[in-house]
Amino acid sequence: MRNLRSVILCSGLLLFAACTKSEFLPDPAGSQVPFQPEATQTVEELLAASPAKLYYSAWQKSNLKTILKARSSKVVYTVFAPNDAAMQAAGLSAAAIAQMPVAELDSLMMFYTTLGIVSQTELKQRVDNFVVKTLLQKPGLYLPYYENTGEGVNRYDLYYYKNYVGIKGESLLINGKNSGKLNYAPAVDGGLYVLEKAIEKPTKTILEALKADGRFTIFLESQRLADESYIETMINYMEPLFGYRPEPEEVLPYISNRKLYSVGWGINEPIYQGYIGPNITISTLFAPTDEAFQQAGFQTLADVMKFNERSAGTIYFDENLFTGVGGYPMDTVYNFHRDWGRMFQPATTGGDKAIANNTVFYGNVLHAGLNDYMVNAGGNPPAEFAYKMPIEFSSVNNSIQMKAKGSAYPAATVIDTDINTLNGPIHVVDRLIFPKGFKLN
C-alpha cells in the first residue's frame, strides 16, 4: 500500500514534479551508504573535531550511541549539530549540560539526528525542502496512517518531529530559518552539518500560538463566536425533532461538514474513551492580524459578527439529510487562510473528493512555483477531480504576496513567516484573502 501511495504521489502530487525517495523518508537504518569518496571519518570522529564541542559533550553524556546501535549494527545517520555559540545562545552551556538528566540529553540528541544521509548535493539539487524525520517522538500524538508506524484498527502513524531543510545561496535553511553558512562533512557512516543557530523545537499547537501572540484576536474570536452561533441554531432546530434540547456536544456529529475553528489547530479530542488514532493535523496557516481586518473595513469584532448575520437565515438543520446546512460569508474567506480553499474542491456525483496532498510550506518555498501545485489529487475520483492550488503566490520587492486566483481584491503580504508549531508553520498576513466574486457590500 505504501509503494502504491508513493507512485500516486510521484505522478503529480509533489512540489515541482520531481519525485524521489528523499521526499518521503531517509534511507533505512543499516542500508548501504552511498559512495562518498571524500569520506574518511565516522560521524562521531567528525563531531569530536568540529566546532560543536558543547554538543559533543552532550552526545557523550547521552545514550544516543546505544539508541543508534539498537537500530542496526551498521546504522547510517546524519547529525545537525549546533556549534558552541548556538548552544550557548539556546541556554545550553557546559554547566547546563552537566546538570541535565540523561533522558533530557537523549531527547536533545534525537531531535538533531535523523536516519539515512542528507547530503549537501541532494539539497542543492532541490527547489523544495528536504523533509528530515528526526529520531524524537512526541508521545500522545498520532498522525494519519502513511508510514505504518502505528498499530491497531485505527491505523495511525506515531508523531516524530520533522525539520524541513533547504539551501539558499551559501546558507542552510531549517524550517524556513537561516541556520548559518552551509557546513557539511560526509562521513563513512552518514554525515554532519554544523549549525550556527539552534533549531527551535515546536512546543505549542497552532491554537496555543495564535492565542499567545495577541495579534489575531478578531480572527480567533469571530470564528469561535460563529461556531457557537451555528451550534445554537442547530440546537433550536433539533429540539422539536429530538423531544429535548440537545447539548452542544450532541450536535457535533451532525455538523461534521462544518470546519469548526479549533479543528486542525490543536489536538483533537478522542472520538470515544480509549481511542488511539489520528489526533493532529499538519498543514500551513496564513493568519490575518487585527489590522488586516481593519484594512478590509472591519474595525471591531462586532463588525465581523454583524457582517455574518446577512446569511444567518440560510443556516438550518436538514431533517432529511440529518445534517447542518449553510454557513457564514466569512467562512469562505477563512477557508483560504486555513485550509487552502478546499470548500471549493470539486467532487464526483457520489460526493468523492481527491485526497489531500502535503501542504506544509515554510517561507522559503512560498513563491510562484507553488501556483500549479496539486493541493488534492489521487484517491477514488479520476484525475480531472484533482484540486489545483487556488492561491497565487508572487514576490514583490523581496516580499511574499498571495491572493485567491481571479480575485479583484489586493494581494496580502506575508509580514512574518515560519512561526513553528506542532501543527506546522504559521505565516502572518496583512490583508484578508477574499475569494473571486466575494461581496463586501
Side-chain angles (χ1 to χ4, degrees):
M1 176 62 73
R2 178 181 169 188
N3 289 337
L4 176 59
R5 291 188 180 187
S6 297
V7 170
I8 292 171
L9 287 170
C10 290
S11 67
L13 307 191
L14 289 169
L15 193 47
F16 300 113
C19 187
T20 66
K21 176 172 57 179
S22 60
E23 276 146 335
F24 302 102
L25 295 173
D27 293 330
S31 63
Q32 184 175 357
V33 183
F35 180 57
Q36 300 183 99
E38 67 272 43
T40 59
Q41 296 177 290
T42 65
V43 172
E44 184 172 5
E45 289 169 339
L46 290 172
L47 189 56
S50 77
K53 305 298 183 186
L54 287 173
Y55 184 90
Y56 185 52
S57 68
W59 165 289
Q60 290 177 301
K61 184 179 175 182
S62 75
N63 292 313
L64 187 66
K65 287 191 284 186
T66 301
I67 293 169
L68 288 168
K69 286 181 180 178
R71 300 279 182 152
S72 169
S73 60
K74 297 181 179 180
V75 68
V76 178
Y77 61 102
T78 300
V79 172
F80 295 81
N83 64 17
D84 287 354
M87 290 285 282
Q88 290 172 338
L92 296 168
S93 63
I97 291 170
Q99 295 176 2
M100 287 176 68
V102 173
E104 287 186 22
L105 290 171
D106 290 347
S107 293
L108 180 67
M109 296 298 102
M110 287 191 287
F111 181 69
Y112 282 95
T113 305
T114 185
L115 298 180
I117 290 179
V118 184
S119 73
Q120 68 175 2
T121 301
E122 165 75 14
L123 296 182
K124 287 181 177 180
Q125 291 174 345
R126 304 176 70 95
V127 290
D128 58 345
N129 287 321
F130 188 104
V131 184
V132 173
K133 179 182 176 182
T134 75
L135 294 179
L136 184 61
Q137 180 198 349
K138 175 77 171 170
L141 294 186
Y142 308 97
L143 295 167
Y145 175 84
Y146 180 73
E147 296 173 5
N148 194 25
T149 57
E151 300 176 353
V153 296
N154 297 318
R155 294 165 69 91
Y156 59 86
D157 284 344
L158 301 175
Y159 184 107
Y160 284 86
Y161 292 94
K162 293 179 181 179
N163 293 312
Y164 291 69
V165 183
I167 291 177
K168 183 177 182 180
E170 297 300 318
S171 298
L172 183 70
L173 304 181
I174 300 181
N175 301 330
K177 302 292 187 182
N178 191 330
S179 296
K181 186 175 181 181
L182 177 62
N183 184 351
Y184 172 76
V188 295
D189 57 351
L192 171 68
Y193 288 89
V194 177
L195 312 180
E196 296 176 14
K197 292 183 180 179
I199 305 173
E200 181 183 353
K201 184 176 74 173
T203 58
K204 295 183 174 71
T205 64
I206 278 181
L207 189 56
E208 290 168 339
L210 290 175
K211 288 180 176 179
D213 189 291
R215 289 179 287 177
F216 313 107
T217 304
I218 298 178
F219 184 52
L220 287 171
E221 283 299 287
S222 63
Q223 291 181 83
R224 183 183 68 81
L225 292 174
D227 287 345
E228 286 187 358
S229 178
Y230 189 93
I231 290 172
E232 183 69 15
T233 300
M234 292 301 111
I235 290 175
N236 291 337
Y237 271 96
M238 295 166 72
E239 183 175 9
L241 294 174
F242 285 28
Y244 68 95
R245 190 166 181 82
E247 295 295 324
E249 293 75 16
E250 296 178 74
V251 173
L252 298 182
Y254 302 98
I255 60 170
S256 58
N257 57 333
R258 179 173 179 81
K259 192 175 182 69
L260 298 176
Y261 97 107
S262 59
V263 171
W265 286 4
I267 299 169
N268 301 330
E269 293 293 330
I271 297 172
Y272 51 82
Q273 187 175 6
Y275 170 85
I276 295 179
N279 62 356
I280 188 168
T281 301
I282 312 296
S283 189
T284 304
L285 173 70
F286 300 99
T289 62
D290 290 345
E291 289 76 11
F293 283 86
Q294 292 160 5
Q295 285 267 17
F298 301 106
Q299 299 304 314
T300 65
L301 172 62
D303 291 340
V304 178
M305 303 312 297
K306 184 177 181 180
F307 180 76
N308 271 340
E309 288 176 4
R310 65 170 60 183
S311 67
T314 68
I315 298 170
Y316 65 96
F317 182 74
D318 191 308
E319 299 179 26
N320 297 315
L321 298 176
F322 241 60
T323 187
V325 175
Y328 301 104
M330 294 302 287
D331 292 346
T332 59
V333 179
Y334 296 155
N335 197 256
F336 279 85
H337 285 270
R338 59 177 299 170
D339 196 34
W340 307 95
R342 284 189 173 108
M343 63 163 39
F344 299 108
Q345 179 185 349
T348 66
T349 53
D352 283 342
K353 295 183 179 182
I355 61 175
N357 196 4
N358 172 47
T359 49
V360 179
F361 302 118
Y362 286 84
N364 63 305
V365 296
L366 295 179
H367 50 66
L370 276 180
N371 293 347
D372 290 325
Y373 184 77
M374 291 299 177
V375 174
N376 289 68
N380 293 326
E384 59 264 29
F385 287 92
Y387 179 55
K388 184 181 285 188
M389 173 64 71
I391 296 173
E392 178 183 335
F393 291 91
S394 60
S395 178
V396 178
N397 297 326
N398 294 320
S399 294
I400 302 164
Q401 293 201 329
M402 54 186 294
K403 62 184 296 186
K405 289 180 178 177
S407 175
Y409 289 91
T413 298
V414 180
I415 59 175
D416 192 3
T417 61
D418 307 315
I419 301 173
N420 208 12
T421 76
L422 293 167
N423 302 93
I426 299 172
H427 305 299
V428 183
V429 293
D430 68 348
R431 287 183 182 271
L432 293 174
I433 304 171
F434 291 110
K436 179 181 178 181
F438 190 85
K439 303 295 185 182
L440 274 171
N441 299 314

PDB file of all heavy atoms in Angstrom, residues 50-68:
ATOM      1  N   SER A  50      34.906  18.940  15.440  1.00  0.00           N
ATOM      2  CA  SER A  50      34.146  20.084  14.923  1.00  0.00           C
ATOM      3  C   SER A  50      34.083  21.211  15.949  1.00  0.00           C
ATOM      4  O   SER A  50      34.458  21.032  17.119  1.00  0.00           O
ATOM      5  CB  SER A  50      32.728  19.640  14.577  1.00  0.00           C
ATOM      6  OG  SER A  50      31.954  19.504  15.759  1.00  0.00           O
ATOM      7  N   PRO A  51      33.579  22.385  15.528  1.00  0.00           N
ATOM      8  CA  PRO A  51      33.370  23.480  16.489  1.00  0.00           C
ATOM      9  C   PRO A  51      32.111  23.311  17.328  1.00  0.00           C
ATOM     10  O   PRO A  51      31.640  24.275  17.923  1.00  0.00           O
ATOM     11  CB  PRO A  51      33.275  24.712  15.585  1.00  0.00           C
ATOM     12  CG  PRO A  51      32.778  24.215  14.285  1.00  0.00           C
ATOM     13  CD  PRO A  51      33.351  22.841  14.131  1.00  0.00           C
ATOM     14  N   ALA A  52      31.573  22.108  17.371  1.00  0.00           N
ATOM     15  CA  ALA A  52      30.387  21.814  18.185  1.00  0.00           C
ATOM     16  C   ALA A  52      30.808  21.029  19.424  1.00  0.00           C
ATOM     17  O   ALA A  52      30.334  19.923  19.685  1.00  0.00           O
ATOM     18  CB  ALA A  52      29.351  21.040  17.367  1.00  0.00           C
ATOM     19  N   LYS A  53      31.722  21.604  20.206  1.00  0.00           N
ATOM     20  CA  LYS A  53      32.269  20.907  21.375  1.00  0.00           C
ATOM     21  C   LYS A  53      31.213  20.682  22.450  1.00  0.00           C
ATOM     22  O   LYS A  53      31.160  19.615  23.068  1.00  0.00           O
ATOM     23  CB  LYS A  53      33.438  21.708  21.958  1.00  0.00           C
ATOM     24  CG  LYS A  53      34.554  22.046  20.991  1.00  0.00           C
ATOM     25  CD  LYS A  53      35.221  20.801  20.441  1.00  0.00           C
ATOM     26  CE  LYS A  53      36.386  21.189  19.516  1.00  0.00           C
ATOM     27  NZ  LYS A  53      36.972  19.998  18.848  1.00  0.00           N
ATOM     28  N   LEU A  54      30.392  21.695  22.688  1.00  0.00           N
ATOM     29  CA  LEU A  54      29.353  21.538  23.700  1.00  0.00           C
ATOM     30  C   LEU A  54      28.360  20.456  23.294  1.00  0.00           C
ATOM     31  O   LEU A  54      27.942  19.644  24.123  1.00  0.00           O
ATOM     32  CB  LEU A  54      28.625  22.872  23.913  1.00  0.00           C
ATOM     33  CG  LEU A  54      29.400  23.955  24.656  1.00  0.00           C
ATOM     34  CD1 LEU A  54      28.624  25.269  24.644  1.00  0.00           C
ATOM     35  CD2 LEU A  54      29.686  23.525  26.093  1.00  0.00           C
ATOM     36  N   TYR A  55      27.990  20.468  22.011  1.00  0.00           N
ATOM     37  CA  TYR A  55      27.070  19.441  21.529  1.00  0.00           C
ATOM     38  C   TYR A  55      27.693  18.057  21.706  1.00  0.00           C
ATOM     39  O   TYR A  55      27.018  17.115  22.132  1.00  0.00           O
ATOM     40  CB  TYR A  55      26.730  19.682  20.054  1.00  0.00           C
ATOM     41  CG  TYR A  55      25.703  18.720  19.507  1.00  0.00           C
ATOM     42  CD1 TYR A  55      24.346  19.028  19.571  1.00  0.00           C
ATOM     43  CD2 TYR A  55      26.076  17.504  18.941  1.00  0.00           C
ATOM     44  CE1 TYR A  55      23.391  18.146  19.083  1.00  0.00           C
ATOM     45  CE2 TYR A  55      25.137  16.613  18.458  1.00  0.00           C
ATOM     46  CZ  TYR A  55      23.796  16.940  18.533  1.00  0.00           C
ATOM     47  OH  TYR A  55      22.865  16.062  18.062  1.00  0.00           O
ATOM     48  N   TYR A  56      28.976  17.938  21.408  1.00  0.00           N
ATOM     49  CA  TYR A  56      29.642  16.636  21.519  1.00  0.00           C
ATOM     50  C   TYR A  56      29.717  16.179  22.975  1.00  0.00           C
ATOM     51  O   TYR A  56      29.599  14.981  23.263  1.00  0.00           O
ATOM     52  CB  TYR A  56      31.030  16.685  20.905  1.00  0.00           C
ATOM     53  CG  TYR A  56      31.723  15.333  20.892  1.00  0.00           C
ATOM     54  CD1 TYR A  56      31.093  14.215  20.372  1.00  0.00           C
ATOM     55  CD2 TYR A  56      32.996  15.186  21.425  1.00  0.00           C
ATOM     56  CE1 TYR A  56      31.714  12.969  20.360  1.00  0.00           C
ATOM     57  CE2 TYR A  56      33.639  13.945  21.418  1.00  0.00           C
ATOM     58  CZ  TYR A  56      32.988  12.844  20.890  1.00  0.00           C
ATOM     59  OH  TYR A  56      33.611  11.602  20.884  1.00  0.00           O
ATOM     60  N   SER A  57      29.864  17.136  23.894  1.00  0.00           N
ATOM     61  CA  SER A  57      29.879  16.744  25.314  1.00  0.00           C
ATOM     62  C   SER A  57      28.513  16.191  25.722  1.00  0.00           C
ATOM     63  O   SER A  57      28.421  15.228  26.497  1.00  0.00           O
ATOM     64  CB  SER A  57      30.263  17.931  26.196  1.00  0.00           C
ATOM     65  OG  SER A  57      29.246  18.926  26.198  1.00  0.00           O
ATOM     66  N   ALA A  58      27.450  16.809  25.195  1.00  0.00           N
ATOM     67  CA  ALA A  58      26.103  16.299  25.466  1.00  0.00           C
ATOM     68  C   ALA A  58      25.912  14.933  24.815  1.00  0.00           C
ATOM     69  O   ALA A  58      25.281  14.035  25.387  1.00  0.00           O
ATOM     70  CB  ALA A  58      25.060  17.294  24.944  1.00  0.00           C
ATOM     71  N   TRP A  59      26.449  14.774  23.618  1.00  0.00           N
ATOM     72  CA  TRP A  59      26.412  13.496  22.893  1.00  0.00           C
ATOM     73  C   TRP A  59      27.048  12.393  23.735  1.00  0.00           C
ATOM     74  O   TRP A  59      26.493  11.310  23.871  1.00  0.00           O
ATOM     75  CB  TRP A  59      27.157  13.686  21.567  1.00  0.00           C
ATOM     76  CG  TRP A  59      27.546  12.446  20.818  1.00  0.00           C
ATOM     77  CD1 TRP A  59      28.522  11.545  21.160  1.00  0.00           C
ATOM     78  CD2 TRP A  59      27.004  11.978  19.581  1.00  0.00           C
ATOM     79  NE1 TRP A  59      28.617  10.559  20.222  1.00  0.00           N
ATOM     80  CE2 TRP A  59      27.702  10.795  19.241  1.00  0.00           C
ATOM     81  CE3 TRP A  59      26.014  12.450  18.732  1.00  0.00           C
ATOM     82  CZ2 TRP A  59      27.432  10.079  18.083  1.00  0.00           C
ATOM     83  CZ3 TRP A  59      25.741  11.737  17.580  1.00  0.00           C
ATOM     84  CH2 TRP A  59      26.435  10.568  17.254  1.00  0.00           C
ATOM     85  N   GLN A  60      28.222  12.682  24.299  1.00  0.00           N
ATOM     86  CA  GLN A  60      28.951  11.667  25.076  1.00  0.00           C
ATOM     87  C   GLN A  60      28.209  11.301  26.352  1.00  0.00           C
ATOM     88  O   GLN A  60      28.254  10.143  26.793  1.00  0.00           O
ATOM     89  CB  GLN A  60      30.350  12.180  25.412  1.00  0.00           C
ATOM     90  CG  GLN A  60      31.281  12.268  24.199  1.00  0.00           C
ATOM     91  CD  GLN A  60      32.624  12.845  24.555  1.00  0.00           C
ATOM     92  OE1 GLN A  60      32.720  13.969  25.052  1.00  0.00           O
ATOM     93  NE2 GLN A  60      33.681  12.075  24.319  1.00  0.00           N
ATOM     94  N   LYS A  61      27.546  12.282  26.960  1.00  0.00           N
ATOM     95  CA  LYS A  61      26.831  12.008  28.207  1.00  0.00           C
ATOM     96  C   LYS A  61      25.523  11.270  27.946  1.00  0.00           C
ATOM     97  O   LYS A  61      25.020  10.548  28.810  1.00  0.00           O
ATOM     98  CB  LYS A  61      26.560  13.322  28.942  1.00  0.00           C
ATOM     99  CG  LYS A  61      25.908  13.141  30.304  1.00  0.00           C
ATOM    100  CD  LYS A  61      25.679  14.478  30.997  1.00  0.00           C
ATOM    101  CE  LYS A  61      24.916  14.291  32.309  1.00  0.00           C
ATOM    102  NZ  LYS A  61      24.633  15.576  32.991  1.00  0.00           N
ATOM    103  N   SER A  62      24.979  11.414  26.752  1.00  0.00           N
ATOM    104  CA  SER A  62      23.687  10.810  26.422  1.00  0.00           C
ATOM    105  C   SER A  62      23.842   9.336  26.057  1.00  0.00           C
ATOM    106  O   SER A  62      24.953   8.804  25.970  1.00  0.00           O
ATOM    107  CB  SER A  62      23.056  11.544  25.240  1.00  0.00           C
ATOM    108  OG  SER A  62      23.698  11.187  24.026  1.00  0.00           O
ATOM    109  N   ASN A  63      22.696   8.698  25.813  1.00  0.00           N
ATOM    110  CA  ASN A  63      22.670   7.296  25.378  1.00  0.00           C
ATOM    111  C   ASN A  63      22.509   7.166  23.867  1.00  0.00           C
ATOM    112  O   ASN A  63      22.098   6.103  23.376  1.00  0.00           O
ATOM    113  CB  ASN A  63      21.497   6.567  26.053  1.00  0.00           C
ATOM    114  CG  ASN A  63      21.694   6.408  27.537  1.00  0.00           C
ATOM    115  OD1 ASN A  63      22.767   5.999  27.990  1.00  0.00           O
ATOM    116  ND2 ASN A  63      20.669   6.739  28.312  1.00  0.00           N
ATOM    117  N   LEU A  64      22.800   8.232  23.118  1.00  0.00           N
ATOM    118  CA  LEU A  64      22.481   8.199  21.694  1.00  0.00           C
ATOM    119  C   LEU A  64      23.192   7.075  20.953  1.00  0.00           C
ATOM    120  O   LEU A  64      22.606   6.429  20.081  1.00  0.00           O
ATOM    121  CB  LEU A  64      22.804   9.543  21.035  1.00  0.00           C
ATOM    122  CG  LEU A  64      22.326   9.618  19.587  1.00  0.00           C
ATOM    123  CD1 LEU A  64      20.802   9.586  19.516  1.00  0.00           C
ATOM    124  CD2 LEU A  64      22.849  10.850  18.874  1.00  0.00           C
ATOM    125  N   LYS A  65      24.441   6.808  21.274  1.00  0.00           N
ATOM    126  CA  LYS A  65      25.154   5.740  20.567  1.00  0.00           C
ATOM    127  C   LYS A  65      24.476   4.391  20.783  1.00  0.00           C
ATOM    128  O   LYS A  65      24.370   3.579  19.845  1.00  0.00           O
ATOM    129  CB  LYS A  65      26.620   5.697  21.025  1.00  0.00           C
ATOM    130  CG  LYS A  65      27.455   6.858  20.498  1.00  0.00           C
ATOM    131  CD  LYS A  65      28.942   6.664  20.739  1.00  0.00           C
ATOM    132  CE  LYS A  65      29.292   6.918  22.176  1.00  0.00           C
ATOM    133  NZ  LYS A  65      30.766   6.868  22.383  1.00  0.00           N
ATOM    134  N   THR A  66      23.982   4.178  21.989  1.00  0.00           N
ATOM    135  CA  THR A  66      23.254   2.934  22.272  1.00  0.00           C
ATOM    136  C   THR A  66      21.936   2.902  21.509  1.00  0.00           C
ATOM    137  O   THR A  66      21.539   1.864  20.958  1.00  0.00           O
ATOM    138  CB  THR A  66      22.990   2.810  23.780  1.00  0.00           C
ATOM    139  OG1 THR A  66      24.228   2.824  24.478  1.00  0.00           O
ATOM    140  CG2 THR A  66      22.237   1.520  24.095  1.00  0.00           C
ATOM    141  N   ILE A  67      21.256   4.056  21.458  1.00  0.00           N
ATOM    142  CA  ILE A  67      19.986   4.151  20.736  1.00  0.00           C
ATOM    143  C   ILE A  67      20.194   3.857  19.257  1.00  0.00           C
ATOM    144  O   ILE A  67      19.401   3.139  18.628  1.00  0.00           O
ATOM    145  CB  ILE A  67      19.371   5.550  20.941  1.00  0.00           C
ATOM    146  CG1 ILE A  67      18.956   5.729  22.402  1.00  0.00           C
ATOM    147  CG2 ILE A  67      18.180   5.770  20.010  1.00  0.00           C
ATOM    148  CD1 ILE A  67      18.585   7.147  22.770  1.00  0.00           C
ATOM    149  N   LEU A  68      21.262   4.392  18.686  1.00  0.00           N
ATOM    150  CA  LEU A  68      21.553   4.162  17.274  1.00  0.00           C
ATOM    151  C   LEU A  68      21.917   2.701  17.004  1.00  0.00           C
ATOM    152  O   LEU A  68      21.453   2.105  16.027  1.00  0.00           O
ATOM    153  CB  LEU A  68      22.687   5.075  16.811  1.00  0.00           C
ATOM    154  CG  LEU A  68      22.339   6.562  16.678  1.00  0.00           C
ATOM    155  CD1 LEU A  68      23.601   7.390  16.498  1.00  0.00           C
ATOM    156  CD2 LEU A  68      21.388   6.784  15.504  1.00  0.00           C
TER     157      LEU A  68
END
